[in-house]
Amino acid sequence: RSSTTPTSMAVRSRWVPSATRASSRGGGELLYELIDIAPALHLRSLRDGRRAIRHPVPPSFSSHMHNSIHPLFVESLGGWLGIGHTHYSDGDQVALEAIEGEWLERHSSEYQYGGSYRHAFFLLNESTLRMERHSRDLCFSSVEDLRRHPLSRNGTRPLCEGVQFVMNALLTEDGSSVQLPYGVQDCESAILTLPIDFVDSELLEFRVVEPR
């Protein structure tokens, strides 16, 4: 691989440590740590903590996204494929309520730490590490719901679990697909396999236009 192509990236989010390397103009490689993906991309050199890169992200990318995975270099996409996550419902709040002379717990949510999780795919430039493309917020169809109600049922869309959390991304051996292991309801796991062509043509639909 040429000196202008990164070989690994160092990236870390609030929860998930990960890593990425970008090439310097002098032909060497610089290892960076990705601190945040929103409301701005924030990368810091692991060799020199004072050296940092900040890139704006487009307004169309949710400002509440957190990094989920170690970015994956996909040669056919020409950049680093990343995934972020957020959730839209708050965690459970428990209050005591007197009902017919008894104190009973009243829960505000069925999810202890929040639910309605959504993910977003994004692509970073292979050398500048700027965000070039991203998807809209999305969730994965519930495996259980798909088993009970196949897609053919009256054209109805399957439901999503309230808690979904992607933890990794792996390329298949032939490089044609990406596999995404993810947690389901904090008690099960599943693997979603997506063709890279599908990620390219259907998911990364928003292209970032740099201001002149």
Side-chain angles (χ1 to χ4, degrees), residues 127-141:
S127 55
T128 66
L129 303 181
R130 288 181 177 271
M131 186 180 294
E132 292 189 327
R133 301 169 65 186
H134 71 87
S135 73
R136 65 185 66 200
D137 295 4
L138 52 88
C139 60
F140 306 142
S141 301

Side-chain angles (χ1 to χ4, degrees), residues 23 50 52 54 57 59 72 76 101 109 126 130 135 141 156 163 166 177-178 183 188 193 204:
S23 300
R50 296 170 297 177
R54 292 182 184 271
V57 296
L72 184 67
S76 60
S109 172
E126 63 178 353
R130 288 181 177 271
S135 73
S141 301
T156 305
V163 177
V166 174
S177 299
V178 60
E188 295 181 302
T193 300
L204 296 173

Side-chain angles (χ1 to χ4, degrees), residues 74-189:
V74 181
E75 190 168 356
S76 60
L77 294 176
W80 296 94
L81 180 65
I83 300 176
H85 71 274
T86 188
H87 61 81
Y88 289 101
S89 67
D90 295 329
D92 186 27
Q93 301 292 323
V94 181
L96 293 177
E97 183 176 0
I99 300 178
E100 297 181 356
E102 293 187 33
W103 288 97
L104 302 176
E105 290 185 349
R106 181 166 53 85
H107 294 261
S108 63
S109 172
E110 57 185 315
Y111 303 111
Q112 184 175 2
Y113 301 109
S116 297
Y117 272 72
R118 297 293 183 268
H119 291 88
F121 291 70
F122 59 91
L123 188 70
L124 303 183
N125 181 280
E126 63 178 353
S127 55
T128 66
L129 303 181
R130 288 181 177 271
M131 186 180 294
E132 292 189 327
R133 301 169 65 186
H134 71 87
S135 73
R136 65 185 66 200
D137 295 4
L138 52 88
C139 60
F140 306 142
S141 301
S142 165
V143 175
E144 183 178 354
D145 191 52
L146 284 172
R147 288 174 182 157
R148 293 180 178 179
H149 309 287
L151 288 173
S152 58
R153 54 160 186 164
N154 302 322
T156 305
R157 293 182 178 180
L159 303 175
C160 298
E161 288 98 2
V163 177
Q164 299 178 334
F165 197 96
V166 174
M167 293 298 294
N168 201 358
L170 304 166
L171 280 178
T172 54
E173 188 173 354
D174 62 2
S176 65
S177 299
V178 60
Q179 293 183 316
L180 307 174
Y182 67 99
V184 178
Q185 305 290 50
D186 286 339
C187 60
E188 295 181 302
S189 60

Side-chain angles (χ1 to χ4, degrees), residues 189-211:
S189 60
I191 296 178
L192 176 66
T193 300
L194 296 173
I196 293 297
D197 289 346
F198 177 80
V199 175
D200 185 19
S201 62
E202 301 294 332
L203 295 185
L204 296 173
E205 55 186 314
F206 296 100
R207 294 183 180 271
V208 180
V209 179
E210 292 292 333

